[in-house]
Every structure is written in structure tokens, then in C-alpha cells.
């Protein structure tokens, strides 16, 4: 067995003890089943690893733990995003965290090398999902779904160099909205851009701009400039880096690394520096090169129609036709877009935030057909919200302003000033829980009243109900406002109604 040769000498004892265990129920005689041997080998390797000196407890590179404070902010962001998706009629769905490797292969162009592959498990080669779009397309094809409006919130994994300071991770959450089905041109596309505007405006992240282009215009531009068709996707991937690299560096990559002729690169440079509104679309109709390309003209026609709908939605001023936008993923076929936050002057003590795009998407009409045995296509358009980057921005701003985050939603604390009142507190808190009121108490038989009140102040609990000997005799309960420290006595049977009234008024 080749695995045995990999074990360090000190792990042999652990391995032998594993192998000397009685055979499992499915084994016969002295023959050991493969699963038991494999388990023994892996256990021994793990023990050897754990015996290494100077072991440091850490999380994997490019990942993060989310504290309760982080989760409060994150959930507020996700609630706003999901409520917007639902407002536009989307249904929720989910897919496995990993897919068959062949499902994901050749869908992402040059980025395919960033997928996390899993070792052979039960005879299947698997990879962690790279995005939520390809699994959605697989779902549509597998279930023969021709029309669907869905949203999906879930984690994805990319094996790239992380940049924690810019909200870039190897494991991160995506929030996707997609419209699948055959519809009249540009109506679903315009709605996707409207959704991005609604979400970014609702999050109050500052001014933003959504860059728009069309992959047919990009390909038409390449053809008009003299790029060989075999290099379209490679050059597209280079152009997609213009938001992170200067033009001279992108030009160098195209010429020196991808073999593009310098004069062809210079022609591309003339186009990718153009950006504007619908007037630029009209201008490109007159361009001597693009106007001769059928693909480019189709893309320009759709963009002209798109701007008409965006004007009706009242968001045309937030949209910029940008010829530098390429979206390097192979599956895009039509309109593409990317939302960026506009840099604003930083306040005193605030560092400039440069996080790149915070939302992106586009049309991918051919992706579902790649999974269908007969190649039947289902046109699709969608968007993805960059939650991690948005979370990073919100987190930094809260730090600058010194804002505190309350990590629980507890509304009422059950307290007592006396000993031996645990049973009464348990009865009282049960009554509150059963009425749907969020309540807490200290897990002590005889806590001090001052300790209980300090806990409420430190955690932001607004109300305290107090029960003691006197209250029990008189059939009353005291309600204390933590902020004002005012107390009132009410009848025990009116407790739930009084608390609900106070909470509704707050």
C-alpha cells in the first residue's frame, strides 16, 4: 500500500493499533475492508501532524471568523438585499456547496485555475462551487426549467491571493438574483440594474456608478481592431483588469504575455478609454470600425433600448456606457455591468476605501445549453452583490464613528432582589417566552440585583421585570426602564400586555 510509505516512523504505533481493531461487520475473516484501512491511515497521519512542535491555532488563509458584532451588521445587510430580491418577485433556492468537477470545468475561462478541487470521494471528482451562476444553470438544465426568477445567498470559494484589507477572501458570500426565460429584449436586464440601484441606495454607501457594456460590442471591437478570434477570451481577460491596473500595464500583458501585435493593442486602447451615456452609444453607431461589425451593431441596438428603459426607471444618470468593461468570465453573451463606489473625500481619521466593484452581472444565454444533452438554450440574465466588500466598508465606517453594535435582541430581563427565587423567575420567563417576547435571566440560583442590572446596561436590554417576596404576596410585578431607571408596579396578569404595549411604542 503506497500510503504506508508516507507515514513518519512515530505514527506506526498509532496505525498498528487501528489495524488491530476487530473487523467491521461487512468484512469476513482477516481481510480488512478498504474503508477501515483508509481510516486508520488518515487517523495516523492526523496524529503525526498534531505532534508537530510549535503548532499555531489559526484559520485557513483567506478566510475569517465572524464575531457576534460582525453577524449583526452582516444580517442587516443581507436582510436589506433579500427583501429587495423578494420585492421584485424572486423565489429562494440553494444548491450543494460542491459540484462535480466536470460541471464547473471550462465555464470560467482563465479563472478555472482558481477552483478548489476536492480529493476523489466515493468515485466522484468534485470541486467547491466557484460562483452561484453555473450551479443555477445546471439546475435549470437538469430539471428542464424554462422560466424562473430566483435569488440565492450562499458561500463560494476561489483559490486566489486574498486581500483582507480590501474585503477580498478565498471563502465569501454571494447574493445572486437571476431571471431565466425567453422575454422581450432588455426588460429583465433593465430590472437587474434597477435592483442594483435600489440595494446600493438602501445601504447608504455613498455615490456609485454602474458601468455597462455588451460582450458582442467587446468581441466586435476586438475583431475591428484585428485581434485573432483565438485570442478573444484571453485579451478579454486582460481588459477586465483595467479597474485594477493602468492601461500601460494591461497593454504590456496583452503584447508581451499574450502575443498581441502592438498596433492592435493601441487600437484597443483608443476604445477602452471611452465612456459616457446614451450619446456615446449613438456615437459608436457612426464609428468607422464598429459600424462594419454585425455583432457590435446588435449590442449597440440593445444598449440603446436599455437606456430607454433605464430612463423610465429613473436611474439613467447612474449608468455609464464604458468600453473598458469586459467581464472576463467565459459564459457572458450580451449585456454586462459592474457597480463601483465613487471615491469621496475622506473625513478626519478615515482612510480611503478602495474595494473595487460591489456588484456585477450580465446576460448568459448559452450557459444552460452547455448542460442540456440536446443543447436547448434558456436565456438568462442576473446580478451578484459583493456582500463581503460592502460589509468591509460598513465595518470600517462604524469603527471610525465609534458606533457600538448590540449583539442580542433581548427585550426583557427577568430579575429578583432576593435569594431562593429561581422557581418564580423560571415561571415568569416561561410566560414571556410563550408570549413571543425575547427574554433572558442569569443562570444563577441567587444572583445579586446590582449584577443583574449591570448586565442589562452592558447588553442594551431595555426592560427589566422584577419579582420578590413583596411582589409575590401582592400579586404584582415591577417593570423597570433600564435607560431612565424608572419603576412601575402592575398586576401580574397584566404583565404580558403591558410589555407588548411598551415594546410597540419604543
Amino acid at each position: 500500500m503506497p500510503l504506508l510509505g508516507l507515514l513518519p516512523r512515530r505514527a506506526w504505533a498509532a496505525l498498528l493499533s487501528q489495524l488491530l481493531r476487530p473487523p467491521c461487520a461487512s468484512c469476513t475473516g482477516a481481510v480488512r475492508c478498504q474503508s477501515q484501512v483508509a481510516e486508520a491511515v488518515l487517523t495516523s497521519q492526523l496524529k503525526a501532524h498534531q505532534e508537530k512542535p510549535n503548532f499555531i491555532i489559526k484559520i485557513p488563509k483567506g478566510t475569517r471568523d465572524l464575531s457576534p458584532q460582525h453577524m449583526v451588521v452582516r444580517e442587516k445587510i443581507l436582510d436589506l438585499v433579500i427583501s429587495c430580491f423578494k420585492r421584485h418577485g424572486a423565489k429562494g433556492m440553494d444548491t450543494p456547496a460542491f459540484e462535480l468537477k466536470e460541471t464547473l470545468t471550462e465555464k470560467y475561462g482563465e479563472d478555472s485555475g482558481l477552483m478548489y478541487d476536492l480529493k476523489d470521494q466515493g468515485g466522484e471528482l468534485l470541486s467547491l462551487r466557484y460562483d452561484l451562476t453555473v450551479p443555477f444553470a445546471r439546475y435549470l438544465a437538469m430539471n428542464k426549467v424554462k422560466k424562473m426568477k430566483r435569488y440565492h445567498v450562499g458561500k463560494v470559494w476561489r483559490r486566489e491571493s486574498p486581500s483582507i484589507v480590501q474585503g477580498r477572501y478565498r471563502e465569501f458570500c454571494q447574493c445572486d438574483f437571476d431571471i431565466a426565460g425567453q422575454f422581450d429584449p432588455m426588460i429583465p436586464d433593465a430590472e437587474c440594474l434597477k435592483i442594483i440601484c435600489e440595494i446600493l441606495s438602501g445601504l447608504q454607501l455613498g455615490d456609485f456608478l454602474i458601468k455597462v457594456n455588451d460582450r458582442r460590442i467587446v468581441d466586435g471591437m476586438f475583431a475591428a481592431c484585428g485581434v485573432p478570434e483565438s485570442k478573444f477570451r484571453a485579451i478579454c481577460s486582460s481588459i477586465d483588469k483595467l479597474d485594477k491596473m493602468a492601461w500601460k500595464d494591461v497593454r504590456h500583458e496583452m503584447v508581451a504575455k499574450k502575443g498581441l501585435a502592438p498596433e492592435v493593442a493601441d487600437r484597443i486602447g483608443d476604445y477602452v478609454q471611452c465612456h459616457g451615456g446614451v450619446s456615446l452609444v449613438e456615437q459608436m453607431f457612426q464609428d468607422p470600425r464598429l459600424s462594419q461589425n454585425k455583432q457590435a451593431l446588435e449590442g449597440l441596438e440593445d444598449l440603446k433600448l436599455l437606456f430607454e428603459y433605464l430612463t423610465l426607471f429613473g436611474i439613467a444618470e447612474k449608468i455609464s456606457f464604458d468600453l473598458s468593461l469586459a467581464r472576463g468570465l467565459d459564459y457572458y453573451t450580451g449585456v454586462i455591468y459592474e457597480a463601483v463606489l465613487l471615491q469621496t473625500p475622506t473625513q478626519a481619521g478615515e482612510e480611503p476605501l478602495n474595494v473595487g466593484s460591489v456588484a456585477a452581472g450580465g446576460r448568459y444565454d448559452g450557459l444552460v445549453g452547455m448542460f442540456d444533452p440536446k443543447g436547448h438554450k434558456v436565456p438568462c440574465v442576473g446580478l451578484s452583490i459583493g456582500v463581503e466588500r460592502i460589509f468591509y466598508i460598513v465595518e470600517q465606517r462604524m469603527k471610525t464613528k465609534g458606533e457600538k453594535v448590540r449583539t442580542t435582541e433581548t427585550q426583557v430581563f427577568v430579575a429578583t432582589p432576593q435569594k431562593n427565587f429561581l422557581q418564580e423567575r423560571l415561571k415568569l420567563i416561561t410566560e414571556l417566552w410563550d408570549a413571543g417576547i425575547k427574554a433572558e435571566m442569569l443562570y444563577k440560583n441567587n444572583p445579586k440585583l446590582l449584577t443583574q442590572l449591570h448586565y442589562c446596561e452592558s447588553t442594551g436590554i431595555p426592560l427589566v421585570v422584577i419579582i420578590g417576596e413583596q411582589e409575590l404576596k401582592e400579586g404584582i410585578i415591577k417593570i423597570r426602564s433600564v435607560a431612565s431607571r424608572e419603576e412601575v408596579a402592575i398586576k401580574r396578569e397584566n404583565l404580558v400586555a403591558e410589555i407588548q404595549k411598551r415594546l410597540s411604542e419604543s
Side-chain angles (χ1 to χ4, degrees):
M1 181 181 295
L3 275 174
L4 298 181
L6 300 175
L7 290 176
R9 186 175 297 176
R10 62 187 175 188
W12 273 99
L15 174 59
L16 287 172
S17 68
Q18 292 284 326
L19 292 175
L20 288 173
R21 285 163 43 197
C24 66
S26 60
C27 294
T28 57
V31 180
R32 199 59 56 169
C33 70
Q34 288 185 357
S35 62
Q36 209 167 2
V37 173
E39 180 189 353
V41 172
L42 289 172
T43 302
S44 303
Q45 287 176 328
L46 181 59
K47 285 185 178 179
H49 175 74
Q50 290 172 337
E51 290 170 8
K52 288 181 181 177
N54 304 320
F55 174 68
I56 300 172
I57 298 177
K58 61 188 286 285
I59 58 175
K61 184 179 180 181
T63 64
R64 71 180 305 190
D65 290 322
L66 293 171
S67 68
Q69 288 82 2
H70 290 146
M71 286 303 297
V72 171
V73 179
R74 189 184 190 89
E75 285 172 359
K76 285 183 179 178
I77 292 171
L78 290 176
D79 285 347
L80 187 147
V81 171
I82 293 171
S83 67
C84 180
F85 291 163
K86 289 182 176 179
R87 186 164 63 247
H88 286 263
K91 305 171 184 176
M93 66 167 289
D94 196 8
T95 61
F98 47 84
E99 296 273 353
L100 294 176
K101 182 174 174 60
E102 61 187 295
T103 298
L104 306 181
T105 303
E106 297 181 358
K107 308 298 188 303
Y108 303 108
E110 293 186 353
D111 289 346
S112 290
L114 302 179
M115 289 192 305
Y116 270 107
D117 292 337
L118 304 178
K119 288 189 176 181
D120 183 3
Q121 300 290 328
E124 293 184 331
L125 294 174
L126 308 171
S127 295
L128 292 175
R129 63 187 178 201
Y130 181 88
D131 67 3
L132 302 178
T133 307
V134 171
F136 176 54
R138 187 266 306 151
Y139 173 88
L140 293 176
M142 192 174 81
N143 293 283
K144 295 180 171 53
V145 178
K146 301 299 182 185
K147 188 182 293 186
M148 187 178 187
K149 187 188 288 187
R150 69 102 200 211
Y151 75 88
H152 186 180
V153 175
K155 285 188 175 181
V156 298
W157 294 265
R158 298 183 184 179
R159 193 170 45 83
E160 58 184 348
S161 297
S163 176
I164 308 303
V165 295
Q166 292 186 349
R168 295 174 66 90
Y169 298 91
R170 288 179 166 180
E171 177 190 67
F172 56 96
C173 178
Q174 279 193 338
C175 300
D176 281 21
F177 174 97
D178 293 87
I179 301 172
Q182 186 71 53
F183 303 103
D184 288 340
M186 296 299 102
I187 302 174
D189 310 65
E191 183 173 7
C192 286
L193 292 168
K194 172 66 173 168
I195 289 170
I196 294 175
C197 285
E198 287 180 10
I199 289 171
L200 296 184
S201 298
L203 290 169
Q204 299 180 348
L205 301 173
D207 206 7
F208 61 90
L209 184 71
I210 304 177
K211 301 176 183 178
V212 173
N213 200 359
D214 193 295
R215 281 298 280 267
R216 292 166 295 178
I217 297 175
V218 175
D219 288 350
M221 175 182 70
F222 289 160
C225 292
V227 178
E229 191 171 344
S230 60
K231 293 183 183 290
F232 276 17
R233 295 286 75 86
I235 300 303
C236 188
S237 180
S238 295
I239 296 297
D240 197 37
K241 298 174 184 175
L242 277 170
D243 62 332
K244 308 177 192 75
M245 297 165 54
W247 163 247
K248 65 176 183 177
D249 297 321
V250 172
R251 182 187 184 280
H252 175 76
E253 178 179 293
M254 293 192 300
V255 174
K257 296 182 180 179
K258 298 186 176 177
L260 194 66
E263 63 275 14
V264 174
D266 290 335
R267 289 187 205 119
I268 293 173
D270 293 336
Y271 283 108
V272 297
Q273 296 175 61
C274 296
H275 52 85
V278 69
S279 59
L280 180 60
V281 178
E282 298 286 0
Q283 183 182 326
M284 287 298 114
F285 274 115
Q286 310 304 320
D287 183 85
R289 292 196 189 102
L290 283 186
S291 60
Q292 302 303 310
N293 185 278
K294 183 182 177 183
Q295 259 194 314
L297 285 175
E298 288 176 356
L300 289 168
E301 288 285 357
D302 275 351
L303 279 190
K304 183 179 177 182
L305 182 60
L306 178 67
F307 268 98
E308 288 183 24
Y309 297 149
L310 298 177
T311 301
L312 293 170
F313 279 150
I315 59 170
E317 75 281 357
K318 293 289 187 183
I319 314 297
S320 171
F321 173 33
D322 193 322
L323 282 158
S324 70
L325 182 65
R327 300 294 296 153
L329 294 174
D330 272 8
Y331 53 64
Y332 286 119
T333 57
V335 170
I336 49 177
Y337 33 85
E338 187 171 272
V340 294
L341 298 182
L342 300 178
Q343 290 290 344
T344 54
T346 54
Q347 298 175 358
E350 198 176 85
E351 293 184 9
L353 299 173
N354 181 22
V355 296
S357 68
V358 291
R363 177 159 287 280
Y364 51 102
D365 289 346
L367 189 55
V368 177
M370 295 176 71
F371 297 108
D372 191 285
K374 297 181 180 179
H376 293 314
K377 292 184 178 182
V378 177
C380 297
V381 64
L383 64 96
S384 183
I385 303 294
V387 175
E388 305 297 344
R389 295 181 180 183
I390 290 171
F391 176 68
Y392 169 74
I393 295 166
V394 174
E395 185 182 30
Q396 294 305 307
R397 289 183 178 173
M398 291 180 69
K399 280 183 181 178
T400 302
K401 294 178 182 178
E403 292 181 23
K404 291 185 178 180
V405 177
R406 190 179 169 207
T407 55
T408 72
E409 297 182 5
T410 306
Q411 299 164 315
V412 180
F413 187 87
V414 178
T416 183
Q418 288 159 329
K419 294 182 178 181
N420 302 319
F421 259 72
L422 176 60
Q423 289 187 0
E424 294 303 324
R425 284 190 292 145
L426 290 175
K427 290 177 186 175
L428 198 53
I429 201 167
T430 300
E431 189 178 333
L432 297 175
W433 285 338
D434 290 348
I437 294 168
K438 299 167 185 172
E440 275 190 79
M441 55 174 263
L442 288 189
Y443 302 132
K444 282 192 171 184
N445 276 311
N446 302 307
K448 293 180 180 178
L449 182 61
L450 195 60
T451 302
Q452 297 170 83
L453 296 179
H454 280 166
Y455 178 79
C456 295
E457 289 179 354
S458 65
T459 55
I461 299 173
L463 296 175
V464 183
V465 295
I466 301 172
I467 185 166
E469 287 182 5
Q470 191 65 31
E471 289 80 13
L472 194 60
K473 285 179 183 178
E474 298 178 9
I476 62 170
I477 296 289
K478 284 182 181 174
I479 299 180
R480 177 187 175 100
S481 168
V482 175
S484 67
R485 301 188 177 183
E486 293 178 353
E487 289 184 4
V488 295
I490 64 165
K491 291 183 179 180
R492 169 69 182 258
E493 58 266 26
N494 297 336
L495 175 63
V496 168
E498 178 64 24
I499 287 177
Q500 288 173 336
K501 178 186 173 186
R502 287 180 174 233
L503 293 174
S504 66
E505 291 172 352
S506 62

